[in-house]
Amino acid sequence: MPVIFMILCFILILIVVIFISKWKINIQIVYRPSYLMLTIQVNWLFIRMVNKSIRLDHMQEDGQKDTFHTFFSQLQELYKMLPRINALVTTALQHIVIRNWKWYTEGGIGDAALTGMTAGGGMGG
């Protein structure tokens, strides 16, 4: 009987440690004209639990690339479904804190002087 009690106590302590400890979730979406990539990383106590990269662009049946526009329409469908699962998501998100938000945007022609001339020409009319 004491062995079972000790095992149950150990399992209970382990569950409490898992739920109280800090989890770090990193989600990165990279959109380039040539590809669309989603990377998900989950860390727990400095241990990387999940490191998954998914290419979101793929070929359609007619051979054309299925990239940002189809992804955008899928996001719109997901947005329409959100009111149905709002209570569940709200309960789960109450415990999440965003500590760092980074947004990188790249643009231009590839040459600084040519990009400046193009921007100046566009602004000057």
Side-chain angles (χ1 to χ4, degrees):
M1 193 69 159
V3 174
I4 294 174
F5 180 73
M6 289 175 54
I7 292 173
L8 288 175
C9 287
F10 177 74
I11 292 173
L12 181 65
I13 291 171
L14 185 64
I15 290 172
V16 168
V17 167
I18 288 174
F19 284 112
I20 291 178
S21 63
K22 302 278 182 177
W23 288 77
K24 182 180 175 185
I25 301 172
N26 184 16
I27 300 172
Q28 180 180 13
I29 298 175
V30 176
Y31 171 71
R32 301 268 170 112
S34 58
Y35 66 91
L36 182 63
M37 178 83 66
L38 172 71
T39 304
I40 300 171
Q41 295 177 345
V42 178
N43 297 331
W44 175 65
L45 297 176
F46 304 107
I47 301 170
R48 181 163 291 160
M49 304 297 282
V50 176
N51 187 14
K52 182 91 173 165
S53 293
I54 305 167
R55 268 192 95 144
L56 298 176
D57 58 342
H58 55 282
M59 301 299 279
Q60 293 178 348
E61 293 175 3
D62 58 0
Q64 294 179 346
K65 268 195 152 182
D66 182 20
T67 57
F68 186 73
H69 299 292
T70 304
F71 179 67
F72 185 70
S73 66
Q74 290 173 351
L75 283 178
Q76 285 179 334
E77 291 175 17
L78 179 65
Y79 180 74
K80 290 176 186 176
M81 292 188 319
L82 280 179
R84 288 184 251 160
I85 56 172
N86 189 22
L88 178 65
V89 171
T90 303
T91 304
L93 292 180
Q94 286 177 348
H95 304 287
I96 294 176
V97 177
I98 297 175
R99 296 180 187 228
N100 191 1
W101 179 269
K102 294 181 183 178
W103 182 282
Y104 297 103
T105 303
E106 294 180 8
I109 298 173
D111 180 24
L114 200 56
T115 302
M117 288 174 29
T118 306
M123 294 176 79

